Amino acid sequence: MKITLRYLSAIALLAHVSLGQESIVLHAGSLIDGKGGTQRNAYVVVKGSKVEKVGGRETGKLIDLKHYTLLPGMIDTHVHIGWHFGPDGRYQPRDTSQTTALGYAMENAYETLMGGFTTVQSVGAPIDGELRSAINRGVLPGPRVLTSLGAINNPSMTVEQIRAAIQKFAEQGADLVKIFASKSFRDGGGQTLSKEQIDAACGEAKAQHLRAIVHVYGPETIKEVSEAGCTSVEHGTLITPEVLKFLAERGTYFDPNIGLVAQNYLAHRTNYLGIGNYTEEGMAAMQRSIPISLKVFQEALKTPNLKIVYGTDAVAGAHGHNVEELIYRVQKGGQDPKDAITSVTSLSAESLNMGDKIGSLAPGMEADLIAVDGDPLKDITAMRRVVFVMKGGKIFKGPATNEN
Ligand SMILES: [Zn+2]
C-alpha cells in the first residue's frame, strides 16, 4: 500500500509533525554530508532527535526524497533575527511593544527555517532570548537560536565596565559576546575600541566560556582582535592579504558578509531611507562596498587554511533569503560549491563549538536535515529550492511521501 501525503507543509504550518521515538527512514536520491562526502541513493535512519544510521537500503517508515538532494540543515553565524519592517513597510528600529517585536521575530524565524537554515546566531538583541525560549519550548517553528542578547559597542566604557557587562550577558544566558571594535564601513571603519578594551572584552568572554565575535574592518584592528583571542572576524572589508594569512595561522574564523546584506539594503532603500542613520550617502557606501567585499572574498579563498564561515548579516528584508549569500559566494566569488556547502554546514558548526552536534550528516548527529530540488554541486541555485526541513528529528516542511 502506498500512502501519499502531499503538501504536508500546509499541515506543518499549523503543527509540526512529531515523530516521537519511532525511527523513520529518509530515502535520498543523493546526499551531501557537509564534510565533503557524497552518496547516491542513500538511506538515512532517524530515531528521536538524532541520525542513527547512514547507508544502503533500509526498510521501515520511509519518506521519499529520492528525487532530491539531502544535506545537513544550513547555519547562519550572523543574523539580526528581530529586525523588521513595520506595518507601513518602513524599517522599525525600536518597537514600542515587546509583544509586537516578538511577533515579528517569530515571523523571521519561521522564514529562516523554511529557507533551510536550522541554526542561526543572532548578534543580537534582548528579544532574541525570548525568541530562543519560545522556539525551544518545541511548538513554534524556528531555527536553533544562539544569541549575544546585546553587544559591547561603547568606546567610553572602562575595562572594568566591559568585563562587568560581559559577566552580565553571561548571567542572562548569552551564547556568545558580540563586540564592535570598528566604525562601520561607511564611516571609514576606523578603530573604536583600544587594544586594552579589545583584550578585556575577548579575555572576559573567554573567562565566561563564551565565544567572541567582532565587528571589525581595518587590518590593524583585525590583527589586534585575533591576538586578543576573539573567535571570529565579521565583515573585515578592509583586510589585507597579509592579515588574512595571519587569521589563518591563528585559527581565527573569518566571516565576510558579501552577498546579502548590502544588496538587501539597496533593494529596500526606500524602506530604510530617512530612518536612523540610513541616508543616501550610506546607501552609496553600501554600493561601493560590494566590489571591495567581493575582492576580499576572492583573496580569502586563495589563503591556505583560512576558515571562512558562513554569515549573512541578515537584517529586515533579508530573513528567509539567507541562502543568497551562498549562491553569490559560488557564482560571483568563485567558491567551489562543495566547499561553500561545507562552510555553511560543518565549518560554521565548528565555529559555534557545535561541530559534534550539528552541521554534518552522520550517525549520532542531531537530525537537522534539509532536502533541495536539484544537485547544488552542479547548480548552486538548487539551494533555493528547499522542499524538506527537519530539525531535531521533527519535520517542519514537506513534501513527505511515505513509501511502504
Ligand atoms: Zn551585523
Side-chain angles (χ1 to χ4, degrees), residues 131-166:
L131 176 70
R132 182 181 59 185
S133 303
I135 293 170
N136 287 349
R137 286 194 292 273
V139 177
L140 291 171
R144 298 174 193 279
V145 173
L146 307 177
T147 174
S148 58
L149 298 172
I152 301 295
N153 55 9
N154 181 355
S156 66
M157 285 170 100
T158 65
V159 160
E160 291 70 30
Q161 286 169 332
I162 288 173
R163 289 189 180 277
I166 290 173

Short mmCIF file of all heavy atoms in Angstrom, two decimals, residues 131-166:
data_model
loop_
_atom_site.label_atom_id
_atom_site.label_comp_id
_atom_site.label_asym_id
_atom_site.label_seq_id
_atom_site.Cartn_x
_atom_site.Cartn_y
_atom_site.Cartn_z
N LEU A 131 12.72 34.83 22.04
CA LEU A 131 12.52 34.05 20.81
C LEU A 131 13.12 32.66 21.00
O LEU A 131 12.48 31.65 20.68
CB LEU A 131 13.19 34.76 19.63
CG LEU A 131 13.15 34.00 18.31
CD1 LEU A 131 11.74 33.94 17.76
CD2 LEU A 131 14.08 34.63 17.28
N ARG A 132 14.35 32.62 21.49
CA ARG A 132 15.04 31.34 21.72
C ARG A 132 14.20 30.45 22.64
O ARG A 132 14.00 29.27 22.36
CB ARG A 132 16.41 31.64 22.33
CG ARG A 132 17.28 30.43 22.58
CD ARG A 132 18.62 30.84 23.21
NE ARG A 132 18.42 31.55 24.48
CZ ARG A 132 19.40 32.10 25.20
NH1 ARG A 132 20.65 32.06 24.76
NH2 ARG A 132 19.14 32.72 26.33
N SER A 133 13.68 31.02 23.73
CA SER A 133 12.86 30.22 24.66
C SER A 133 11.60 29.72 23.97
O SER A 133 11.22 28.56 24.16
CB SER A 133 12.42 31.05 25.86
OG SER A 133 13.53 31.57 26.52
N ALA A 134 10.96 30.60 23.22
CA ALA A 134 9.70 30.21 22.55
C ALA A 134 9.95 29.04 21.61
O ALA A 134 9.19 28.06 21.60
CB ALA A 134 9.12 31.40 21.78
N ILE A 135 11.02 29.11 20.83
CA ILE A 135 11.32 28.02 19.89
C ILE A 135 11.71 26.75 20.65
O ILE A 135 11.27 25.66 20.32
CB ILE A 135 12.41 28.45 18.89
CG1 ILE A 135 11.88 29.57 17.98
CG2 ILE A 135 12.88 27.26 18.06
CD1 ILE A 135 12.94 30.24 17.13
N ASN A 136 12.51 26.93 21.70
CA ASN A 136 12.98 25.76 22.45
C ASN A 136 11.85 25.03 23.17
O ASN A 136 12.01 23.86 23.52
CB ASN A 136 14.07 26.15 23.46
CG ASN A 136 15.37 26.46 22.77
OD1 ASN A 136 15.54 26.19 21.57
ND2 ASN A 136 16.31 27.02 23.50
N ARG A 137 10.72 25.71 23.40
CA ARG A 137 9.59 25.01 24.01
C ARG A 137 9.06 23.93 23.07
O ARG A 137 8.33 23.05 23.48
CB ARG A 137 8.49 25.98 24.42
CG ARG A 137 8.87 26.80 25.66
CD ARG A 137 7.68 27.51 26.28
NE ARG A 137 7.14 28.58 25.47
CZ ARG A 137 7.58 29.85 25.49
NH1 ARG A 137 8.59 30.17 26.28
NH2 ARG A 137 7.04 30.76 24.73
N GLY A 138 9.43 24.03 21.78
CA GLY A 138 9.22 22.89 20.89
C GLY A 138 7.95 22.92 20.05
O GLY A 138 7.66 21.95 19.36
N VAL A 139 7.18 23.99 20.12
CA VAL A 139 5.94 24.03 19.34
C VAL A 139 6.09 24.94 18.12
O VAL A 139 5.81 24.53 17.00
CB VAL A 139 4.76 24.49 20.22
CG1 VAL A 139 3.49 24.61 19.38
CG2 VAL A 139 4.56 23.52 21.37
N LEU A 140 6.55 26.15 18.34
CA LEU A 140 6.66 27.09 17.23
C LEU A 140 7.86 26.75 16.35
O LEU A 140 8.92 26.41 16.85
CB LEU A 140 6.82 28.52 17.76
CG LEU A 140 5.58 29.10 18.44
CD1 LEU A 140 5.92 30.41 19.12
CD2 LEU A 140 4.45 29.30 17.44
N PRO A 141 7.68 26.84 15.02
CA PRO A 141 8.77 26.51 14.12
C PRO A 141 9.79 27.63 14.03
O PRO A 141 9.44 28.80 13.90
CB PRO A 141 8.07 26.33 12.77
CG PRO A 141 6.81 27.09 12.87
CD PRO A 141 6.44 27.20 14.33
N GLY A 142 11.05 27.26 14.15
CA GLY A 142 12.14 28.23 14.02
C GLY A 142 13.45 27.49 14.12
O GLY A 142 13.49 26.34 14.56
N PRO A 143 14.52 28.15 13.71
CA PRO A 143 15.83 27.51 13.82
C PRO A 143 16.32 27.47 15.26
O PRO A 143 15.78 28.17 16.12
CB PRO A 143 16.72 28.42 12.98
CG PRO A 143 16.07 29.76 13.04
CD PRO A 143 14.58 29.51 13.16
N ARG A 144 17.35 26.69 15.53
CA ARG A 144 18.05 26.82 16.81
C ARG A 144 18.59 28.24 16.83
O ARG A 144 19.18 28.68 15.85
CB ARG A 144 19.23 25.85 16.88
CG ARG A 144 18.86 24.40 16.80
CD ARG A 144 20.08 23.48 16.72
NE ARG A 144 19.63 22.14 16.33
CZ ARG A 144 19.12 21.25 17.18
NH1 ARG A 144 19.04 21.54 18.46
NH2 ARG A 144 18.70 20.07 16.76
N VAL A 145 18.39 28.94 17.92
CA VAL A 145 18.86 30.33 18.01
C VAL A 145 19.94 30.44 19.07
O VAL A 145 19.74 30.04 20.22
CB VAL A 145 17.70 31.29 18.34
CG1 VAL A 145 18.21 32.71 18.60
CG2 VAL A 145 16.66 31.30 17.22
N LEU A 146 21.08 30.96 18.67
CA LEU A 146 22.12 31.37 19.62
C LEU A 146 22.10 32.88 19.59
O LEU A 146 21.92 33.49 18.54
CB LEU A 146 23.49 30.87 19.19
CG LEU A 146 23.64 29.39 18.90
CD1 LEU A 146 25.06 29.09 18.42
CD2 LEU A 146 23.32 28.55 20.11
N THR A 147 22.31 33.50 20.74
CA THR A 147 22.27 34.96 20.74
C THR A 147 23.25 35.58 21.73
O THR A 147 23.54 35.01 22.78
CB THR A 147 20.85 35.48 21.04
OG1 THR A 147 20.92 36.92 21.18
CG2 THR A 147 20.29 34.91 22.33
N SER A 148 23.70 36.78 21.37
CA SER A 148 24.57 37.56 22.26
C SER A 148 23.74 38.45 23.19
O SER A 148 24.29 39.05 24.10
CB SER A 148 25.50 38.44 21.43
OG SER A 148 24.75 39.31 20.59
N LEU A 149 22.42 38.54 22.93
CA LEU A 149 21.48 39.36 23.72
C LEU A 149 21.76 40.86 23.67
O LEU A 149 20.97 41.66 24.16
CB LEU A 149 21.43 38.90 25.19
CG LEU A 149 20.95 37.48 25.46
CD1 LEU A 149 21.16 37.11 26.93
CD2 LEU A 149 19.48 37.31 25.09
N GLY A 150 22.89 41.25 23.13
CA GLY A 150 23.27 42.66 23.08
C GLY A 150 24.69 42.72 22.57
O GLY A 150 25.17 41.76 21.98
N ALA A 151 25.37 43.84 22.80
CA ALA A 151 26.72 43.96 22.27
C ALA A 151 27.54 44.91 23.13
O ALA A 151 27.01 45.75 23.85
CB ALA A 151 26.68 44.48 20.84
N ILE A 152 28.87 44.75 23.02
CA ILE A 152 29.80 45.71 23.61
C ILE A 152 30.14 46.68 22.50
O ILE A 152 30.82 46.31 21.52
CB ILE A 152 31.08 44.98 24.10
CG1 ILE A 152 30.75 43.91 25.15
CG2 ILE A 152 32.12 45.99 24.61
CD1 ILE A 152 30.17 44.42 26.44
N ASN A 153 29.63 47.90 22.59
CA ASN A 153 29.85 48.83 21.48
C ASN A 153 30.13 50.27 21.92
O ASN A 153 30.16 51.17 21.08
CB ASN A 153 28.66 48.81 20.51
CG ASN A 153 27.34 49.08 21.22
OD1 ASN A 153 27.33 49.44 22.39
ND2 ASN A 153 26.24 48.89 20.51
N ASN A 154 30.33 50.45 23.21
CA ASN A 154 30.52 51.81 23.69
C ASN A 154 31.99 52.06 24.05
O ASN A 154 32.48 51.57 25.06
CB ASN A 154 29.62 52.03 24.92
CG ASN A 154 29.73 53.43 25.48
OD1 ASN A 154 30.55 54.23 25.03
ND2 ASN A 154 28.91 53.72 26.48
N PRO A 155 32.71 52.85 23.22
CA PRO A 155 34.14 53.05 23.44
C PRO A 155 34.47 53.79 24.73
O PRO A 155 35.62 53.76 25.18
CB PRO A 155 34.58 53.91 22.24
CG PRO A 155 33.45 53.88 21.27
CD PRO A 155 32.20 53.58 22.04
N SER A 156 33.47 54.44 25.34
CA SER A 156 33.79 55.16 26.59
C SER A 156 33.75 54.25 27.81
O SER A 156 34.04 54.69 28.93
CB SER A 156 32.83 56.35 26.76
OG SER A 156 31.53 55.86 26.96
N MET A 157 33.44 52.98 27.61
CA MET A 157 33.44 52.05 28.76
C MET A 157 34.86 51.77 29.22
O MET A 157 35.78 51.61 28.40
CB MET A 157 32.80 50.71 28.35
CG MET A 157 31.30 50.74 28.22
SD MET A 157 30.71 49.20 27.46
CE MET A 157 30.18 48.30 28.92
N THR A 158 35.04 51.69 30.53
CA THR A 158 36.35 51.30 31.06
C THR A 158 36.49 49.79 30.92
O THR A 158 35.50 49.08 30.68
CB THR A 158 36.47 51.65 32.56
OG1 THR A 158 35.51 50.85 33.27
CG2 THR A 158 36.19 53.13 32.82
N VAL A 159 37.71 49.34 31.10
CA VAL A 159 37.98 47.90 31.04
C VAL A 159 37.11 47.15 32.06
O VAL A 159 36.55 46.09 31.78
CB VAL A 159 39.50 47.67 31.26
CG1 VAL A 159 39.78 46.25 31.69
CG2 VAL A 159 40.27 48.05 30.01
N GLU A 160 36.97 47.74 33.27
CA GLU A 160 36.15 47.11 34.31
C GLU A 160 34.68 47.04 33.89
O GLU A 160 34.00 46.04 34.13
CB GLU A 160 36.26 47.88 35.64
CG GLU A 160 37.60 47.81 36.33
CD GLU A 160 38.72 48.57 35.61
OE1 GLU A 160 38.42 49.60 34.94
OE2 GLU A 160 39.88 48.13 35.67
N GLN A 161 34.22 48.12 33.28
CA GLN A 161 32.81 48.14 32.84
C GLN A 161 32.56 47.11 31.73
O GLN A 161 31.51 46.47 31.70
CB GLN A 161 32.43 49.55 32.35
CG GLN A 161 32.25 50.53 33.49
CD GLN A 161 32.15 51.98 33.01
OE1 GLN A 161 32.71 52.34 31.97
NE2 GLN A 161 31.46 52.81 33.77
N ILE A 162 33.54 46.98 30.85
CA ILE A 162 33.41 45.98 29.78
C ILE A 162 33.30 44.58 30.38
O ILE A 162 32.42 43.79 30.03
CB ILE A 162 34.59 46.08 28.79
CG1 ILE A 162 34.45 47.34 27.94
CG2 ILE A 162 34.68 44.83 27.91
CD1 ILE A 162 35.65 47.65 27.05
N ARG A 163 34.20 44.29 31.34
CA ARG A 163 34.18 42.96 31.97
C ARG A 163 32.85 42.72 32.69
O ARG A 163 32.25 41.65 32.57
CB ARG A 163 35.34 42.82 32.95
CG ARG A 163 36.69 42.72 32.26
CD ARG A 163 37.81 42.36 33.25
NE ARG A 163 39.11 42.27 32.59
CZ ARG A 163 39.56 41.19 31.94
NH1 ARG A 163 38.81 40.12 31.87
NH2 ARG A 163 40.75 41.20 31.38
N ALA A 164 32.37 43.75 33.39
CA ALA A 164 31.11 43.60 34.13
C ALA A 164 29.93 43.38 33.17
O ALA A 164 29.05 42.56 33.43
CB ALA A 164 30.86 44.85 34.98
N ALA A 165 29.95 44.09 32.04
CA ALA A 165 28.86 43.95 31.07
C ALA A 165 28.84 42.53 30.49
O ALA A 165 27.78 41.93 30.31
CB ALA A 165 29.01 44.98 29.95
N ILE A 166 30.02 41.99 30.23
CA ILE A 166 30.09 40.63 29.68
C ILE A 166 29.65 39.60 30.72
O ILE A 166 28.93 38.65 30.40
CB ILE A 166 31.51 40.35 29.13
CG1 ILE A 166 31.70 41.20 27.86
CG2 ILE A 166 31.72 38.87 28.84
CD1 ILE A 166 33.09 41.19 27.29
#
